[in-house]
C-alpha cells in the first residue's frame, strides 16, 4: 500500500475541506461522514467476513476485525512517518478514518446498525472526544450547522498554520495519539517510521477493545452514559 493508496482510502476530499474549514469540530464532521459513507460498506464487509468464517461467534469475528484494522493502522503510520512533517495531518486523518471503519464493523458484528446516526455519537464517546452521549449529540448538531471558512469575511480567516495545527491536534485526539509526540518523531530519520506504526496500532487496538466492551454491554441492555 502506497501513500497515494492511503489518501484514497482515507477521508474523502469534501470531508477534508469541511475539517480544515472547521477544525474545532473536525471529529464531529468525521464521525458524521463515516457513518453515512462507511456504515453500509461495513455491514457488507461483515457479511463477507461471516461467509469466509461460517459458524464463527461474534467474539471470534471481533478479534479478526481488530487484527485487520490494527495492521492497516500500523501501515498508515509507517508510510506517513516517511513523509514530511505536513504528513502528520494526513496520518492522523487516515488513522481516525480507519478506526471509524473498525468501530462501525464491530457495531454491526454485535447487532447494531452501522449506518444509524447513533453510531456517530458512539464513535465520539468511544474515542474520548465526549464523555456523555448528550454532549456528543449536541456537538454533532453544532457541526452540522457550522459555516464554512470560505463563507467568512477575509479578515476573519485564521492563519493557515494555526488551522492545520488545530486540525492535527483534534484528529490526533480522536485517533488516540499524542500529536506533538508524533510530529516531533517525524524529524528523527527512520525512528518516525517505527514509532508511527507502533503508536497507530496500539491506539487502534485499545479503541477496538473499548468498542467490543461497549457493544457487548448494549446486547445485555446497558447503555452509554447520558449526562
Amino acid at each position: 500500500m502506497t501513500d497515494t493508496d492511503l489518501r484514497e482510502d482515507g477521508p474523502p476530499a469534501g470531508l477534508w475541506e469541511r475539517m480544515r474549514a472547521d477544525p474545532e469540530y473536525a471529529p464531529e464532521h468525521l464521525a458524521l461522514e463515516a457513518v453515512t459513507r462507511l456504515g453500509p460498506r461495513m455491514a457488507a464487509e461483515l457479511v463477507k467476513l461471516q461467509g469466509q468464517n461460517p459458524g464463527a461467534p461474534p467474539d471470534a469475528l471481533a478479534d479478526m476485525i481488530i487484527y485487520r484494522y490494527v495492521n492497516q493502522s500500523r501501515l498508515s503510520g509507517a508510510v506517513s512517518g516517511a513523509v514530511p512533517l505536513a504528513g502528520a495531518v494526513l496520518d492522523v486523518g487516515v488513522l481516525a478514518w480507519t478506526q471509524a471503519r473498525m468501530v462501525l464493523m464491530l457495531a454491526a458484528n454485535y447487532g447494531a446498525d452501522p449506518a444509524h446516526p447513533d453510531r456517530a455519537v458512539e464513535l465520539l464517546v468511544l474515542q474520548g472526544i465526549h464523555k456523555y452521549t448528550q454532549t456528543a449529540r449536541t456537538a454533532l448538531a453544532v457541526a452540522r450547522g457550522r459555516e464554512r471558512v470560505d463563507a467568512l469575511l477575509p479578515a476573519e480567516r485564521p492563519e493557515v498554520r494555526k488551522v492545520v495545527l488545530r486540525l492535527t491536534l483534534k484528529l490526533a485526539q480522536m485517533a488516540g495519539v499524542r500529536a506533538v509526540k508524533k510530529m516531533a518523531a517525524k524529524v528523527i530519520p527512520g525512528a518516525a517510521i517505527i514509532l508511527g506504526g507502533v503508536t497507530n496500532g496500539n491506539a487502534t487496538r485499545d479503541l477496538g477493545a473499548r468498542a467490543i466492551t461497549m457493544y457487548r454491554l448494549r446486547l445485555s441492555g446497558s447503555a452509554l452514559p447520558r449526562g
Side-chain angles (χ1 to χ4, degrees), residues 23 27 57 69 71 90 127 153 157 192 199 222 225:
Y69 288 105
N71 283 343
L90 170 65
Q127 292 166 317
L153 295 175
R157 295 175 186 262
T199 300
S222 298

Side-chain angles (χ1 to χ4, degrees), residues 28-129:
E28 287 78 9
H29 289 301
L30 191 147
L32 289 168
E33 184 77 10
V35 170
T36 299
R37 184 180 292 262
L38 297 177
R41 288 174 54 187
M42 293 303 98
E45 282 293 313
L46 177 63
V47 171
K48 181 179 178 180
L49 183 63
Q50 291 170 329
Q52 294 169 341
N53 300 274
D59 285 348
L61 293 172
D63 287 341
M64 298 177 200
I65 293 168
I66 290 179
Y67 179 81
R68 173 192 297 184
Y69 288 105
V70 165
N71 283 343
Q72 288 190 16
S73 296
R74 283 175 173 167
L75 183 56
S76 168
V79 172
S80 62
V83 302
L85 184 62
V89 183
L90 170 65
D91 186 5
V92 292
V94 171
L95 177 58
W97 189 251
T98 298
Q99 290 178 345
R101 292 162 63 103
M102 177 188 69
V103 171
L104 292 175
M105 194 169 176
L106 287 170
N109 182 54
Y110 286 100
D113 178 4
H116 192 282
D118 282 351
R119 302 296 85 79
V121 174
E122 292 159 5
L123 271 170
L124 295 174
V125 173
L126 280 167
Q127 292 166 317
I129 300 300

Side-chain angles (χ1 to χ4, degrees), residues 141-179:
V142 171
R144 290 189 186 97
R146 299 281 285 187
E147 291 184 341
R148 297 171 61 91
V149 166
D150 57 17
L152 302 177
L153 295 175
E156 297 178 302
R157 295 175 186 262
E159 292 181 28
V160 173
R161 178 180 295 181
K162 291 181 179 179
V163 169
V164 171
L165 177 59
R166 188 61 182 161
L167 175 57
T168 304
L169 291 172
K170 293 297 289 188
L171 289 177
Q173 179 189 3
M174 185 179 196
V177 296
R178 296 180 179 179

